[in-house]
Amino acid sequence: MKSRFSAMVCIIIGLLITILVNFTIVYYSYKEYEDDFQRKSELVFASVHDMLLQHKIMIGALISLFNTSLSVNKQDFTVFSHKLLKINSAVAFTLDDNVQIKYLSDDKFTLSTLAGKMEIDPYGQPEYVMQGFTSITVKIDVPNMPFLVYAIPHAIVQNRLDIHLEICARLTLMDTQFNNEYCQDDANTGIASLFKFQGSYARESPEYNKKFRILAWSIAPPRSIYQLLLLVLFTTVMGGSLTLLMCHKIRSHLRLTLMTIETQAKLALLSTINHEIRTPINAVLGYSQMLKDNDSGSMSTQDTLDKIIWSANLLNSVAENTLNFAKAEVGKLTLDYRDVNLAREINNILDYYRAFGQIQDKHLIVNMAENVAGNISLDSTKFFQLTTNFINNAFKYSGGNEILLDVSLKSVAGQDFVRVAVKDSGKGMSRQALRAIKHPFTTDPTGHANSQSGIGIGLYTCNKVLEQIGGSLCIRSQNNRGTLVLFRFPYRRASSELTSYQCAAPEIRYPSQQESAATQPVKVPVRDRTQASSSGLSLLLVDDNRFNLEVCGSILESGGFKVNTFQDEDQVLDAFKASEPDIVVMDYRLAKIDGISLIGQMQQHQTRKVHYFILSANDRSEMPNADAYPDISFLRKPLYLEVFMELLDLKLKLV
């Protein structure tokens, strides 16, 4: 509804702007044509007025000839009037008492003058009328010669009007009307009539009882009108196009804003679900591990606990993958680099698949290059998720009982990558199934689910994650020869030295259920490896969930720490002031305050070095104030003691 209303407002505004622009164009074009007409009409009026004024002056000069001379003979009149009137091509003559021509300015007008006759005009005055001439009859005080006639040839007047080519000049001189050629193109209909301009000019000569009136009009040139119409049409089309484009952009922006809001809501929901799932998972893993560490249980009980731990880890991985894949879809996925030992991370993956191998009789074989044993800076959580996702696919769809995992470090164009290869021996993927890397929900329609080497949304989302973090994914598959998945995961050089970790051999094979337990390598318990470094350190643990508090407290106590737990954050600050522990481990989401803000209050009261940790189901990127506290280390639930000890060792070395 809001989108439709915005589009309607956009269309109305665009229409009004287009109309305004067109009105401005037409208005200024009209004014330009009107100003051009004014210039032309003023030239016509001035030209005709000057012509008639010259004739009036000539008449006055002839009258003065008779008034200033006692006697004017024919020769004097002829010489004077001929020279005077030659320029204007008019004729002057006098009449005697019998209305006969007595003096004539030019003999070539003899026939024209003789054809005229004397009449009385509407004012009761005598007027000598001649065909093709406009004449003015003036009384003079000369014996036997009472009248002076001044005649203007119509051809001379017409020639004066014809010099104006781009405007109609219509002159009414006494009772005679003159029109130039332009007046024949009168257009009073259609669009041209809208651009017709006209004006008039009138003048009288009372002394001669004569008057004249000139009318001028013109139409804008058709070419100019055509260009104006094209400009208006172009502006209308462009205005309409821009309006539609703007409306589309506004609607797209609204849709994008709505999608962003919906996406943020979905991410918030997924984050909440992720947090709510990981919290009980943390308890399940903790309690299961506590039972497993108790050697009083039977072998079947130990197997059951392994299955519980495996399932809880798998559920934890699914929850984490779902959130990360959703972030990758909207471009909000970032890497949280921290210094790790890559060989240890690969060993953690092997530990992850112990229960799976014992249950399904499928084995993971790992080849690690020599450079893998070093320390690097890596987002180990996302690396673990991607690697196990591809291994899970291989286990699920492989026809054999062995999956190969090859890990090495590579540098491409100055960028460091962890190169991981996962090889299965399944049926292989069809060409259409391989499209799943770019298109979600794509599987092989010709095969059964159990025979497909790959899953629909998994490849697509894994590729999305790798694209977001600057990695890459490549899949090679052959019919009945299995599938090879290669991906590159970015890493950085380690910023500090971690405890070295040596691998027993470059190839590690996880033993099957049938192999003797005696052949399995003996692993040193976590408690024995870490207790020496943590013995005697006091630790303040804060979590508003009682089960997590109990589980995490038990795990940390197994590492040799003196743990003091608090569920109510109101009591935490007072306890911190009283004891000032060596280590603080705190949940981020507390009932009344977030863990980072509470740590900030603790730092204001500390008198010696305290090592702070945030243990949360939320990712660091979901904590708005995380960057303001660079000395806080971040851990993801569930709590793994080895990961915690690595970060603690790093902090202790820096001190």
Side-chain angles (χ1 to χ4, degrees):
M1 186 67 182
K2 185 176 180 180
S3 178
R4 291 182 180 179
F5 176 76
S6 300
M8 184 64 67
V9 172
C10 176
I11 291 175
I12 293 175
I13 294 176
L15 180 62
L16 292 177
I17 292 176
T18 302
I19 293 174
L20 179 61
V21 171
N22 283 333
F23 174 80
T24 303
I25 292 174
V26 174
Y27 174 78
Y28 280 101
S29 298
Y30 188 90
K31 290 293 294 181
E32 183 179 354
Y33 300 150
E34 186 178 35
D35 293 342
D36 183 63
F37 166 76
Q38 291 293 338
R39 291 190 297 270
K40 294 176 182 178
S41 62
E42 287 174 0
L43 288 176
V44 172
F45 298 155
S47 176
V48 174
H49 180 269
D50 290 345
M51 177 188 69
L52 297 177
L53 181 60
Q54 289 175 4
H55 288 300
K56 184 176 181 180
I57 293 173
M58 297 302 103
I59 295 173
L62 291 174
I63 294 175
S64 299
L65 174 64
F66 291 100
N67 292 337
T68 57
S69 301
L70 297 176
S71 176
V72 179
N73 56 35
K74 183 176 182 179
Q75 183 178 1
D76 293 337
F77 176 81
T78 301
V79 172
F80 178 80
S81 61
H82 183 73
K83 292 181 178 181
L84 182 66
L85 303 179
K86 184 177 182 180
I87 299 176
N88 294 302
S89 300
V91 60
F93 56 92
T94 60
L95 299 175
D96 59 14
D97 293 333
N98 297 321
V99 197
Q100 299 295 320
I101 298 174
K102 194 170 184 181
Y103 298 161
L104 182 61
S105 62
D106 193 340
D107 292 339
K108 69 179 182 179
F109 293 103
T110 301
L111 294 178
S112 299
T113 56
L114 291 175
K117 61 180 180 178
M118 183 67 76
E119 295 181 356
I120 302 299
D121 65 13
Y123 298 99
Q125 300 296 326
E127 180 181 13
Y128 194 82
V129 179
M130 298 171 56
Q131 186 69 30
F133 290 84
T134 295
S135 60
I136 298 175
T137 305
V138 182
K139 292 182 178 181
I140 56 176
D141 189 14
V142 178
N144 302 321
M145 198 166 52
F147 298 104
L148 172 66
V149 179
Y150 185 88
I152 305 171
H154 290 172
I156 300 301
V157 177
Q158 187 65 48
N159 290 338
R160 178 60 69 94
L161 297 180
D162 288 341
I163 64 176
H164 302 283
L165 302 177
E166 298 180 351
I167 187 171
C168 171
R170 181 170 295 164
L171 174 64
T172 303
L173 187 60
M174 277 71 87
D175 296 329
T176 306
Q177 189 177 82
F178 302 89
N179 297 290
N180 64 356
E181 186 176 356
Y182 187 93
C183 297
Q184 306 302 320
D185 299 329
D186 193 358
N188 293 314
T189 59
I191 297 178
S193 62
L194 300 176
F195 296 91
K196 182 178 180 180
F197 309 92
Q198 62 182 11
S200 62
Y201 178 77
R203 191 67 181 271
E204 294 187 5
S205 297
E207 63 272 26
Y208 306 124
N209 293 324
K210 303 296 181 183
K211 61 181 180 180
F212 72 91
R213 183 175 182 271
I214 183 168
L215 174 68
W217 61 264
S218 71
I219 300 175
R223 180 183 180 88
S224 299
I225 297 177
Y226 177 72
Q227 292 175 346
L228 176 61
L229 293 178
L230 285 181
L231 182 59
V232 170
L233 178 62
F234 175 77
T235 304
T236 303
V237 173
M238 287 298 297
S241 301
L242 291 175
T243 299
L244 293 178
L245 182 62
M246 186 61 66
C247 292
H248 176 72
K249 186 175 181 180
I250 291 175
R251 295 188 67 178
S252 299
H253 177 72
L254 291 175
R255 285 196 296 267
L256 181 60
T257 302
L258 181 60
M259 289 176 59
T260 302
I261 295 174
E262 292 177 351
T263 300
Q264 291 175 348
K266 291 177 181 177
L267 287 177
L269 176 61
L270 287 175
S271 178
T272 302
I273 293 175
N274 180 268
H275 181 274
E276 295 302 322
I277 290 177
R278 290 171 71 95
T279 297
I281 287 176
N282 184 54
V284 171
L285 287 173
Y287 286 127
S288 299
Q289 191 63 47
M290 290 167 60
L291 291 174
K292 186 175 174 62
D293 291 340
N294 186 357
D295 296 334
S296 61
S298 63
M299 290 298 298
S300 61
T301 302
Q302 293 290 323
D303 289 343
T304 301
L305 290 174
D306 284 338
K307 294 176 183 179
I308 293 174
I309 293 173
W310 162 260
S311 300
N313 278 322
L314 182 61
L315 179 59
N316 177 62
S317 178
V318 170
E320 188 64 27
N321 288 342
T322 302
L323 181 60
N324 284 335
F325 292 158
K327 289 181 179 179
E329 283 289 337
V330 296
K332 291 190 175 182
L333 190 64
T334 57
L335 290 177
D336 183 17
Y337 287 96
R338 65 183 181 88
D339 292 347
V340 298
N341 186 285
L342 184 57
R344 186 186 297 274
E345 297 298 322
I346 301 302
N347 187 70
N348 290 337
I349 294 176
L350 286 172
D351 288 343
Y352 183 72
Y353 284 98
R354 175 190 294 272
F356 185 83
Q358 293 175 349
I359 296 170
Q360 301 291 335
D361 193 24
K362 291 188 177 183
H363 321 296
L364 179 64
I365 299 177
V366 179
N367 293 320
M368 289 192 291
E370 293 181 359
N371 56 0
V372 172
N375 301 320
I376 62 174
S377 182
L378 182 77
D379 189 328
S380 58
T381 301
K382 294 181 179 62
F383 176 78
F384 182 89
Q385 291 164 355
L386 286 168
T387 304
T388 54
N389 188 75
F390 289 119
I391 295 175
N392 288 344
N393 285 347
F395 273 138
K396 183 177 181 180
Y397 301 109
S398 176
N401 58 0
E402 289 185 346
I403 302 299
L404 301 179
L405 175 65
D406 184 272
V407 183
S408 60
L409 300 182
K410 299 291 183 181
S411 181
V412 180
Q415 174 66 52
D416 295 324
F417 294 98
V418 179
R419 179 186 180 275
V420 180
V422 179
K423 178 71 171 66
D424 67 47
S425 56
K427 178 183 177 181
M429 301 175 65
S430 67
R431 181 174 299 179
Q432 183 171 355
L434 285 172
R435 294 178 64 248
I437 193 172
K438 294 294 183 183
H439 304 278
F441 307 105
T442 301
T443 55
D444 186 356
T446 62
H448 298 289
N450 292 333
S451 64
Q452 293 175 0
S453 183
I455 59 175
I457 197 171
L459 292 179
Y460 172 78
T461 50
C462 287
N463 184 57
K464 271 288 187 181
V465 170
L466 287 168
E467 286 180 351
Q468 284 290 318
I469 64 177
S472 62
L473 173 64
C474 177
I475 299 179
R476 302 170 184 171
S477 185
Q478 293 182 336
N479 189 25
N480 296 321
R481 296 187 63 180
T483 299
L484 173 63
V485 177
L486 296 169
F487 73 90
R488 292 174 179 171
F489 193 95
Y491 77 92
R492 297 173 181 173
R493 305 295 179 181
S495 59
S496 62
E497 291 295 330
L498 295 175
T499 304
S500 62
Y501 185 86
Q502 301 296 333
C503 299
E507 175 175 315
I508 302 177
R509 177 181 175 184
Y510 215 93
S512 66
Q513 189 175 15
Q514 287 76 20
E515 292 178 296
S516 173
T519 63
Q520 299 183 19
V522 178
K523 300 184 65 179
V524 180
V526 171
R527 179 180 303 177
D528 296 338
R529 298 200 305 268
T530 62
Q531 197 166 15
S533 61
S534 61
S535 178
L537 294 179
S538 59
L539 188 148
L540 181 64
L541 178 63
V542 183
D543 197 307
D544 59 355
N545 184 284
R546 182 171 60 85
F547 296 109
N548 284 333
L549 201 63
E550 182 178 339
V551 168
C552 293
S554 176
I555 293 174
L556 292 170
E557 286 177 350
S558 69
F561 298 98
K562 297 179 180 179
V563 182
N564 191 14
T565 60
F566 286 91
Q567 186 176 354
D568 186 357
E569 61 265 36
D570 292 335
Q571 304 173 5
V572 173
L573 194 57
D574 293 335
F576 178 84
K577 295 176 184 179
S579 62
E580 194 164 353
D582 299 306
I583 304 168
V584 173
V585 179
M586 187 175 303
D587 187 18
Y588 176 72
R589 290 190 177 185
L590 300 175
K592 300 178 181 179
I593 189 174
D594 66 86
I596 295 180
S597 299
L598 186 55
I599 288 177
Q601 296 179 16
M602 292 179 176
Q603 288 178 337
Q604 296 177 4
H605 298 89
Q606 71 182 37
T607 58
R608 60 187 180 87
K609 182 64 178 178
V610 180
H611 304 291
Y612 297 98
F613 293 85
I614 287 292
L615 176 63
S616 175
N618 295 93
D619 188 73
R620 180 177 180 176
S621 61
E622 301 173 46
M623 305 176 190
N625 51 349
D627 293 336
Y629 297 87
D631 55 335
I632 299 178
S633 297
F634 293 85
L635 294 167
R636 298 294 301 276
K637 289 181 180 178
L639 175 63
Y640 295 101
L641 186 58
E642 285 189 348
V643 176
F644 174 74
M645 291 305 302
E646 286 181 1
L647 291 178
L648 180 59
D649 287 343
L650 177 59
K651 282 179 171 287
L652 293 175
K653 287 181 179 180
L654 292 176
V655 174

